[in-house]
Amino acid sequence: MKEEEKNTAISSRALTLISHKLKTPLSIINGYSEAILSQAGKEKFSPFTAKALEEINKQGGRMSLLVDKLVAFNKVTTAQNEGIEKQPVYLKPLIKDCAAKAIAQEEETAVPEAPRDEASIKRGTFVEIDCPERLSVTANEEMLRLCIRELLANAIKFNNKMEKIIKVQCANHGDSISISVRDYGAGIRPQDVSRIFDPFYQVDDYFTGQISGWGLGLPMVKRILDLHNGSISVVSDRGLGSIFTINFPLL
């Protein structure tokens, strides 16, 4: 075994051990904290105890999401092209489902907002989908879902506006199918664009603030595209947002 392959195998094994060892204690933390919180009305917890339990439950939920991401990342990075099952997948219903789940995940893990005393200001996350009803790609559906959800989750996460607009556009170019995800968020600095697909690299500065995550999402998306002989590109303007475009070749 070559040295590079050996190191990859060791890293994969380490990720597997970490993720599996964390699953059991996290499920206990999340389960018990949720059960205790459900009794808050009866037990009459002090404000400090109630706040502490809510924070334990919230952070436990975030850790569980990260563990799930580790498991998915490890599965994708160790997959081989010839071993992937592919089938035609209709894009529009899949994107709708991914958008609903990405928005729900954001609402579950969002930092509490300031009091909403300005009712006239529109708030929320809106995903607009422009995709032909019967447009499909031949892909591994599980990996395609991971890919779309990650792009949508990032589009939401890197947008600090009260109203978040995400636009998804699909197109048939004859020899390939493209899916573009556009946001109107913070954008990416030019020096970061070339590194965002590196594992564990995170864009984090005064403009975006501290961003949760481990820098695994976009490397995982790129790996999924590699496994499908596809590609991903990004166009970003600082302060105006980004457009991530993935391309699947027509077989």
Side-chain angles (χ1 to χ4, degrees):
M1 181 182 290
K2 295 180 181 179
E3 188 67 25
E4 183 177 349
E5 293 176 346
K6 182 180 179 181
N7 290 337
T8 300
I10 292 172
S11 298
S12 176
R13 178 61 177 164
L15 285 175
T16 301
L17 284 172
I18 291 170
S19 58
H20 284 291
K21 291 293 184 181
L22 286 173
K23 271 187 172 296
T24 299
L26 279 173
S27 65
I28 293 173
I29 291 170
N30 295 339
Y32 275 113
S33 60
E34 188 171 334
I36 296 170
L37 280 171
S38 69
Q39 301 296 314
K42 297 178 182 178
E43 299 294 337
K44 296 182 180 179
F45 298 132
S46 69
F48 172 80
T49 301
K51 178 66 175 176
L53 285 169
E54 289 173 2
E55 192 63 25
I56 289 169
N57 187 253
K58 180 187 296 182
Q59 296 302 328
R62 287 180 175 176
M63 277 298 295
S64 292
L65 289 174
L66 288 174
V67 169
D68 290 341
K69 180 70 71 66
L70 271 174
V71 172
F73 179 79
N74 188 55
K75 184 176 181 179
V76 168
T77 54
T78 56
Q80 299 298 320
N81 191 298
E82 59 272 13
I84 297 176
E85 293 184 6
K86 300 176 184 177
Q87 62 187 35
V89 182
Y90 288 111
L91 291 174
K92 194 165 187 176
L94 183 142
I95 294 170
K96 283 184 176 180
D97 184 57
C98 289
K101 289 178 179 176
I103 292 172
Q105 179 178 314
E106 179 217 14
E107 291 173 349
E108 289 175 2
T109 60
V111 176
E113 298 179 354
R116 300 185 176 189
D117 51 2
E118 297 182 34
S120 61
I121 298 177
K122 193 174 183 181
R123 292 174 170 85
T125 300
F126 307 90
V127 179
E128 301 175 3
I129 302 171
D130 179 9
C131 182
E133 292 291 341
R134 305 298 292 175
L135 187 63
S136 66
V137 297
T138 298
N140 178 276
E141 184 171 348
E142 180 184 358
M143 289 187 177
L144 182 58
R145 284 183 180 277
L146 281 173
C147 198
I148 300 299
R149 276 195 67 177
E150 188 60 39
L151 292 178
L152 289 170
N154 274 355
I156 294 170
K157 181 167 64 173
F158 287 94
N159 190 332
N160 56 9
K161 297 177 182 177
M162 286 178 288
E163 181 188 23
K164 303 180 182 184
I165 304 294
I166 314 298
K167 293 187 177 181
V168 182
Q169 185 171 37
C170 307
N172 187 336
H173 303 284
D175 59 350
S176 66
I177 301 292
S178 70
I179 306 168
S180 295
V181 177
R182 179 173 187 170
D183 66 71
Y184 297 88
I188 306 170
R189 295 178 303 182
Q191 61 266 39
D192 288 320
V193 171
S194 62
R195 300 189 60 190
I196 56 177
F197 298 105
D198 295 343
F200 303 107
Y201 183 78
Q202 289 182 282
V203 178
D204 180 15
D205 62 14
Y206 74 95
F207 197 89
T208 60
Q210 179 63 39
I211 300 297
S212 62
W214 286 0
L216 296 176
L218 288 177
M220 183 168 64
V221 170
K222 186 177 185 305
R223 174 60 178 164
I224 289 172
L225 270 296
D226 289 342
L227 289 168
H228 288 78
N229 298 314
S231 62
I232 182 168
S233 60
V234 57
V235 175
S236 187
D237 290 318
R238 194 66 170 151
L240 298 177
S242 305
I243 304 173
F244 282 83
T245 302
I246 58 178
N247 283 280
F248 287 87
L250 286 174
L251 303 178

mmCIF file of all heavy atoms in Angstrom, residues 81 84-87 137-141 143-144 222-231 247-249 251:
data_model
loop_
_atom_site.group_PDB
_atom_site.id
_atom_site.type_symbol
_atom_site.label_atom_id
_atom_site.label_comp_id
_atom_site.label_asym_id
_atom_site.label_seq_id
_atom_site.Cartn_x
_atom_site.Cartn_y
_atom_site.Cartn_z
ATOM 1 N N ASN A 81 -16.101 4.898 -7.737
ATOM 2 C CA ASN A 81 -17.040 5.168 -8.814
ATOM 3 C C ASN A 81 -17.776 3.927 -9.282
ATOM 4 O O ASN A 81 -18.992 3.937 -9.466
ATOM 5 C CB ASN A 81 -16.295 5.816 -9.997
ATOM 6 C CG ASN A 81 -17.256 6.368 -11.030
ATOM 7 O OD1 ASN A 81 -18.029 5.638 -11.628
ATOM 8 N ND2 ASN A 81 -17.211 7.681 -11.231
ATOM 9 N N ILE A 84 -20.888 2.600 -7.136
ATOM 10 C CA ILE A 84 -22.032 3.458 -6.852
ATOM 11 C C ILE A 84 -23.228 3.066 -7.722
ATOM 12 O O ILE A 84 -23.106 2.928 -8.940
ATOM 13 C CB ILE A 84 -21.681 4.936 -7.124
ATOM 14 C CG1 ILE A 84 -20.560 5.389 -6.199
ATOM 15 C CG2 ILE A 84 -22.897 5.826 -6.929
ATOM 16 C CD1 ILE A 84 -20.094 6.794 -6.479
ATOM 17 N N GLU A 85 -24.370 2.889 -7.082
ATOM 18 C CA GLU A 85 -25.606 2.623 -7.822
ATOM 19 C C GLU A 85 -26.208 3.941 -8.293
ATOM 20 O O GLU A 85 -26.441 4.845 -7.500
ATOM 21 C CB GLU A 85 -26.609 1.886 -6.936
ATOM 22 C CG GLU A 85 -26.171 0.472 -6.551
ATOM 23 C CD GLU A 85 -27.243 -0.254 -5.752
ATOM 24 O OE1 GLU A 85 -28.355 0.310 -5.605
ATOM 25 O OE2 GLU A 85 -26.957 -1.360 -5.285
ATOM 26 N N LYS A 86 -26.455 4.030 -9.596
ATOM 27 C CA LYS A 86 -27.015 5.254 -10.173
ATOM 28 C C LYS A 86 -28.325 4.954 -10.884
ATOM 29 O O LYS A 86 -28.498 3.867 -11.443
ATOM 30 C CB LYS A 86 -26.014 5.879 -11.155
ATOM 31 C CG LYS A 86 -24.685 6.259 -10.524
ATOM 32 C CD LYS A 86 -23.706 6.778 -11.555
ATOM 33 C CE LYS A 86 -22.342 7.078 -10.939
ATOM 34 N NZ LYS A 86 -21.356 7.526 -11.944
ATOM 35 N N GLN A 87 -29.214 5.933 -10.836
ATOM 36 C CA GLN A 87 -30.513 5.785 -11.484
ATOM 37 C C GLN A 87 -31.051 7.166 -11.843
ATOM 38 O O GLN A 87 -30.583 8.166 -11.294
ATOM 39 C CB GLN A 87 -31.501 5.087 -10.544
ATOM 40 C CG GLN A 87 -31.767 5.875 -9.264
ATOM 41 C CD GLN A 87 -32.616 5.103 -8.273
ATOM 42 O OE1 GLN A 87 -32.505 3.900 -8.161
ATOM 43 N NE2 GLN A 87 -33.479 5.819 -7.571
ATOM 44 N N VAL A 137 -31.518 13.626 -13.721
ATOM 45 C CA VAL A 137 -30.113 13.262 -13.924
ATOM 46 C C VAL A 137 -29.934 11.807 -13.489
ATOM 47 O O VAL A 137 -30.704 11.308 -12.662
ATOM 48 C CB VAL A 137 -29.147 14.157 -13.119
ATOM 49 C CG1 VAL A 137 -29.231 15.594 -13.578
ATOM 50 C CG2 VAL A 137 -29.412 14.044 -11.623
ATOM 51 N N THR A 138 -28.938 11.163 -14.054
ATOM 52 C CA THR A 138 -28.610 9.808 -13.633
ATOM 53 C C THR A 138 -27.540 9.915 -12.551
ATOM 54 O O THR A 138 -26.420 10.361 -12.814
ATOM 55 C CB THR A 138 -28.086 8.965 -14.816
ATOM 56 O OG1 THR A 138 -29.117 8.877 -15.803
ATOM 57 C CG2 THR A 138 -27.717 7.561 -14.353
ATOM 58 N N ALA A 139 -27.917 9.576 -11.338
ATOM 59 C CA ALA A 139 -27.015 9.768 -10.205
ATOM 60 C C ALA A 139 -27.390 8.839 -9.063
ATOM 61 O O ALA A 139 -28.446 8.198 -9.079
ATOM 62 C CB ALA A 139 -27.068 11.222 -9.729
ATOM 63 N N ASN A 140 -26.515 8.787 -8.063
ATOM 64 C CA ASN A 140 -26.848 8.110 -6.823
ATOM 65 C C ASN A 140 -27.726 9.069 -6.027
ATOM 66 O O ASN A 140 -27.292 10.170 -5.664
ATOM 67 C CB ASN A 140 -25.582 7.770 -6.039
ATOM 68 C CG ASN A 140 -25.875 7.095 -4.721
ATOM 69 O OD1 ASN A 140 -26.143 7.756 -3.728
ATOM 70 N ND2 ASN A 140 -25.831 5.781 -4.703
ATOM 71 N N GLU A 141 -28.974 8.679 -5.770
ATOM 72 C CA GLU A 141 -29.932 9.615 -5.174
ATOM 73 C C GLU A 141 -29.499 10.088 -3.790
ATOM 74 O O GLU A 141 -29.638 11.276 -3.455
ATOM 75 C CB GLU A 141 -31.320 8.982 -5.092
ATOM 76 C CG GLU A 141 -32.364 9.937 -4.569
ATOM 77 C CD GLU A 141 -33.783 9.416 -4.687
ATOM 78 O OE1 GLU A 141 -33.994 8.405 -5.390
ATOM 79 O OE2 GLU A 141 -34.684 10.008 -4.069
ATOM 80 N N MET A 143 -26.478 10.441 -2.583
ATOM 81 C CA MET A 143 -25.384 11.404 -2.712
ATOM 82 C C MET A 143 -25.875 12.719 -3.305
ATOM 83 O O MET A 143 -25.430 13.801 -2.906
ATOM 84 C CB MET A 143 -24.261 10.819 -3.569
ATOM 85 C CG MET A 143 -23.488 9.713 -2.901
ATOM 86 S SD MET A 143 -22.054 9.228 -3.886
ATOM 87 C CE MET A 143 -21.322 7.981 -2.806
ATOM 88 N N LEU A 144 -26.804 12.636 -4.265
ATOM 89 C CA LEU A 144 -27.349 13.846 -4.856
ATOM 90 C C LEU A 144 -28.080 14.678 -3.806
ATOM 91 O O LEU A 144 -27.972 15.903 -3.778
ATOM 92 C CB LEU A 144 -28.292 13.481 -5.996
ATOM 93 C CG LEU A 144 -28.930 14.648 -6.771
ATOM 94 C CD1 LEU A 144 -27.868 15.558 -7.368
ATOM 95 C CD2 LEU A 144 -29.856 14.128 -7.857
ATOM 96 N N LYS A 222 -17.785 18.275 -3.653
ATOM 97 C CA LYS A 222 -16.823 18.110 -4.753
ATOM 98 C C LYS A 222 -16.512 16.637 -4.996
ATOM 99 O O LYS A 222 -16.418 16.185 -6.142
ATOM 100 C CB LYS A 222 -15.536 18.869 -4.463
ATOM 101 C CG LYS A 222 -14.550 18.858 -5.636
ATOM 102 C CD LYS A 222 -13.317 19.673 -5.356
ATOM 103 C CE LYS A 222 -12.420 19.739 -6.578
ATOM 104 N NZ LYS A 222 -12.037 18.421 -7.112
ATOM 105 N N ARG A 223 -16.378 15.879 -3.919
ATOM 106 C CA ARG A 223 -16.101 14.452 -4.059
ATOM 107 C C ARG A 223 -17.267 13.740 -4.736
ATOM 108 O O ARG A 223 -17.068 12.868 -5.585
ATOM 109 C CB ARG A 223 -15.831 13.843 -2.673
ATOM 110 C CG ARG A 223 -15.670 12.332 -2.659
ATOM 111 C CD ARG A 223 -14.530 11.856 -3.512
ATOM 112 N NE ARG A 223 -14.387 10.405 -3.441
ATOM 113 C CZ ARG A 223 -13.674 9.678 -4.299
ATOM 114 N NH1 ARG A 223 -13.034 10.275 -5.296
ATOM 115 N NH2 ARG A 223 -13.598 8.369 -4.164
ATOM 116 N N ILE A 224 -18.494 14.113 -4.379
ATOM 117 C CA ILE A 224 -19.677 13.521 -5.001
ATOM 118 C C ILE A 224 -19.685 13.816 -6.500
ATOM 119 O O ILE A 224 -19.969 12.937 -7.321
ATOM 120 C CB ILE A 224 -20.958 14.057 -4.340
ATOM 121 C CG1 ILE A 224 -21.100 13.488 -2.920
ATOM 122 C CG2 ILE A 224 -22.195 13.688 -5.174
ATOM 123 C CD1 ILE A 224 -22.217 14.103 -2.111
ATOM 124 N N LEU A 225 -19.347 15.052 -6.866
ATOM 125 C CA LEU A 225 -19.299 15.398 -8.289
ATOM 126 C C LEU A 225 -18.200 14.619 -9.008
ATOM 127 O O LEU A 225 -18.382 14.174 -10.149
ATOM 128 C CB LEU A 225 -19.077 16.900 -8.453
ATOM 129 C CG LEU A 225 -20.304 17.813 -8.522
ATOM 130 C CD1 LEU A 225 -21.135 17.484 -9.759
ATOM 131 C CD2 LEU A 225 -21.164 17.721 -7.282
ATOM 132 N N ASP A 226 -17.059 14.442 -8.357
ATOM 133 C CA ASP A 226 -15.969 13.653 -8.949
ATOM 134 C C ASP A 226 -16.427 12.219 -9.218
ATOM 135 O O ASP A 226 -16.095 11.633 -10.261
ATOM 136 C CB ASP A 226 -14.747 13.637 -8.025
ATOM 137 C CG ASP A 226 -14.039 14.982 -7.955
ATOM 138 O OD1 ASP A 226 -14.279 15.818 -8.863
ATOM 139 O OD2 ASP A 226 -13.263 15.203 -7.011
ATOM 140 N N LEU A 227 -17.177 11.651 -8.275
ATOM 141 C CA LEU A 227 -17.657 10.280 -8.421
ATOM 142 C C LEU A 227 -18.670 10.152 -9.555
ATOM 143 O O LEU A 227 -18.923 9.049 -10.052
ATOM 144 C CB LEU A 227 -18.286 9.805 -7.112
ATOM 145 C CG LEU A 227 -17.322 9.547 -5.943
ATOM 146 C CD1 LEU A 227 -18.097 9.359 -4.643
ATOM 147 C CD2 LEU A 227 -16.446 8.333 -6.226
ATOM 148 N N HIS A 228 -19.274 11.271 -9.955
ATOM 149 C CA HIS A 228 -20.247 11.263 -11.054
ATOM 150 C C HIS A 228 -19.665 11.870 -12.332
ATOM 151 O O HIS A 228 -20.401 12.181 -13.273
ATOM 152 C CB HIS A 228 -21.512 12.036 -10.647
ATOM 153 C CG HIS A 228 -22.352 11.333 -9.636
ATOM 154 N ND1 HIS A 228 -22.037 11.304 -8.295
ATOM 155 C CD2 HIS A 228 -23.498 10.611 -9.764
ATOM 156 C CE1 HIS A 228 -22.963 10.608 -7.639
ATOM 157 N NE2 HIS A 228 -23.848 10.180 -8.513
ATOM 158 N N ASN A 229 -18.332 12.056 -12.347
ATOM 159 C CA ASN A 229 -17.653 12.686 -13.487
ATOM 160 C C ASN A 229 -18.220 14.071 -13.779
ATOM 161 O O ASN A 229 -18.275 14.520 -14.930
ATOM 162 C CB ASN A 229 -17.758 11.808 -14.740
ATOM 163 C CG ASN A 229 -17.090 10.464 -14.560
ATOM 164 O OD1 ASN A 229 -15.975 10.376 -14.055
ATOM 165 N ND2 ASN A 229 -17.778 9.394 -14.943
ATOM 166 N N GLY A 230 -18.681 14.730 -12.727
ATOM 167 C CA GLY A 230 -19.241 16.065 -12.861
ATOM 168 C C GLY A 230 -18.261 17.124 -12.388
ATOM 169 O O GLY A 230 -17.071 16.870 -12.194
ATOM 170 N N SER A 231 -18.771 18.333 -12.187
ATOM 171 C CA SER A 231 -17.913 19.443 -11.767
ATOM 172 C C SER A 231 -18.717 20.442 -10.951
ATOM 173 O O SER A 231 -19.952 20.427 -10.951
ATOM 174 C CB SER A 231 -17.317 20.150 -12.990
ATOM 175 O OG SER A 231 -18.340 20.709 -13.790
ATOM 176 N N ASN A 247 -22.520 20.502 -12.256
ATOM 177 C CA ASN A 247 -22.827 19.971 -13.578
ATOM 178 C C ASN A 247 -22.701 18.452 -13.575
ATOM 179 O O ASN A 247 -21.698 17.906 -13.088
ATOM 180 C CB ASN A 247 -21.881 20.550 -14.626
ATOM 181 C CG ASN A 247 -22.244 21.966 -15.016
ATOM 182 O OD1 ASN A 247 -23.139 22.189 -15.810
ATOM 183 N ND2 ASN A 247 -21.546 22.924 -14.422
ATOM 184 N N PHE A 248 -23.732 17.779 -14.093
ATOM 185 C CA PHE A 248 -23.720 16.333 -14.259
ATOM 186 C C PHE A 248 -23.732 16.033 -15.760
ATOM 187 O O PHE A 248 -24.621 16.511 -16.471
ATOM 188 C CB PHE A 248 -24.947 15.694 -13.615
ATOM 189 C CG PHE A 248 -24.915 15.687 -12.116
ATOM 190 C CD1 PHE A 248 -25.387 16.786 -11.407
ATOM 191 C CD2 PHE A 248 -24.427 14.599 -11.420
ATOM 192 C CE1 PHE A 248 -25.372 16.791 -10.020
ATOM 193 C CE2 PHE A 248 -24.404 14.604 -10.033
ATOM 194 C CZ PHE A 248 -24.867 15.689 -9.338
ATOM 195 N N PRO A 249 -22.761 15.268 -16.254
ATOM 196 C CA PRO A 249 -22.792 14.917 -17.680
ATOM 197 C C PRO A 249 -23.939 13.988 -18.012
ATOM 198 O O PRO A 249 -24.334 13.156 -17.185
ATOM 199 C CB PRO A 249 -21.439 14.226 -17.890
ATOM 200 C CG PRO A 249 -21.094 13.662 -16.550
ATOM 201 C CD PRO A 249 -21.636 14.635 -15.547
ATOM 202 N N LEU A 251 -25.226 10.827 -19.692
ATOM 203 C CA LEU A 251 -24.574 9.581 -20.099
ATOM 204 C C LEU A 251 -25.096 9.111 -21.450
ATOM 205 O O LEU A 251 -26.220 9.341 -21.804
ATOM 206 C CB LEU A 251 -24.802 8.512 -19.018
ATOM 207 C CG LEU A 251 -24.304 8.898 -17.618
ATOM 208 C CD1 LEU A 251 -24.650 7.774 -16.634
ATOM 209 C CD2 LEU A 251 -22.810 9.149 -17.625
#
